[in-house]
Amino acid sequence: MAITPKINIEYAVTEKPLESVNGDQAFLRQHDGSVFFGIVDGAGHGRDAHEIANIMCDFLNSHSHLELTELMQALHAHLKGSRGGVAIFGRIDLATATASYVGVGNIEMRVFGSQTKRCVLTPGVLGYNIRTPKHQVSDLTAGDVLVLHSDGISSTFDLYDYPDLPWDNAQTIATTIVDRFNKNNDDATALAIRIVQAQ
Ligand SMILES: [Mn+2]
């Protein structure tokens, strides 16, 4: 079936690991008018955190057919007995111009543009204890920017601190957020997704 997209995306990732390897991992895959995206953060930093982040990403990508809250519960079960981690991920439907997403733990997703919104996160650590995750939905329009970042970046920055955000491209946004707002005590990773008009 042909899909007529209402919107399209541009995206970029910037990483600033504390050690030689990153304990965070961002991903984005586009398939048949659907974009599956997210950030995971393995507990701690360094090689062990990096390994957990890889396990989380592999699991998410191989189970991406599941509904989002089911997928989070399945990821939680998959991490039992490990160091644990936190994650936020979602889907953008290019035909309906909507984003659905779910997050657990100390990690962030913000929407800037026609609306300014902070994703509500379910408290907990995946693999240990989490409350029942709930997904959220946002309508998207061209010009909106989704920013996902790990807790190595301060979550308090706002448009006052970065007034050019709505006009910068995805790569500039991801790099600026990591450079200006990283805390220097943990891995810092940002995924910026800019919503653009469908061609
Ligand atoms: Mn972290």
Side-chain angles (χ1 to χ4, degrees):
M1 191 181 81
I3 294 165
T4 313
K6 266 194 192 167
I7 54 164
N8 221 323
I9 61 148
E10 291 166 357
Y11 75 99
V13 174
T14 298
E15 303 177 284
K16 189 168 185 279
L18 199 63
E19 298 177 26
S20 58
V21 290
N22 195 353
D24 302 336
Q25 200 168 311
F27 62 90
L28 185 146
R29 288 192 325 173
Q30 206 166 338
H31 183 71
D32 271 353
S34 177
V35 179
F36 182 52
F37 64 94
I39 284 195
V40 302
D41 178 354
H45 40 81
R47 197 157 293 283
D48 293 337
H50 179 68
E51 202 176 298
I52 290 287
N54 280 339
I55 290 169
M56 285 196 274
C57 269
D58 289 350
F59 186 85
L60 290 175
N61 280 309
S62 57
H63 295 78
S64 61
H65 57 280
L66 291 175
E67 186 269 321
L68 292 175
T69 54
E70 279 174 13
L71 181 54
M72 188 63 91
Q73 294 281 19
L75 179 64
H76 173 51
H78 186 64
L79 291 182
K80 290 238 157 91
S82 78
R83 297 164 60 92
V86 298
I88 185 161
F89 50 82
R91 275 192 205 101
I92 296 171
D93 184 326
L94 299 178
T96 60
T98 52
S100 317
Y101 42 91
V102 62
V104 168
N106 289 334
I107 199 148
E108 291 283 340
M109 177 173 144
R110 316 268 296 270
V111 183
F112 297 97
S114 53
Q115 51 181 335
T116 303
K117 191 167 166 179
R118 191 183 287 271
C119 172
V120 178
L121 296 147
T122 301
V125 175
L126 294 163
Y128 288 87
N129 242 314
I130 63 168
R131 300 226 189 122
T132 306
K134 289 195 180 74
H135 83 280
Q136 294 153 74
V137 180
S138 290
D139 292 327
L140 300 173
T141 45
D144 286 350
V145 176
L146 275 54
V147 173
L148 289 84
H149 66 81
S150 60
D151 66 346
I153 292 170
S154 164
S155 59
T156 57
F157 80 87
D158 218 327
L159 286 176
Y160 291 106
D161 306 305
Y162 182 8
D164 285 341
L165 187 153
W167 293 278
D168 281 345
N169 65 41
Q171 186 62 70
T172 304
I173 293 168
T175 303
T176 303
I177 286 169
V178 168
D179 287 351
R180 295 207 2 218
F181 308 119
N182 90 79
K183 298 180 188 165
N184 280 315
N185 62 0
D186 196 358
D187 302 314
T189 304
L191 165 63
I193 304 171
R194 172 174 277 294
I195 309 302
V196 296
Q197 209 84 255
Q199 292 303 304

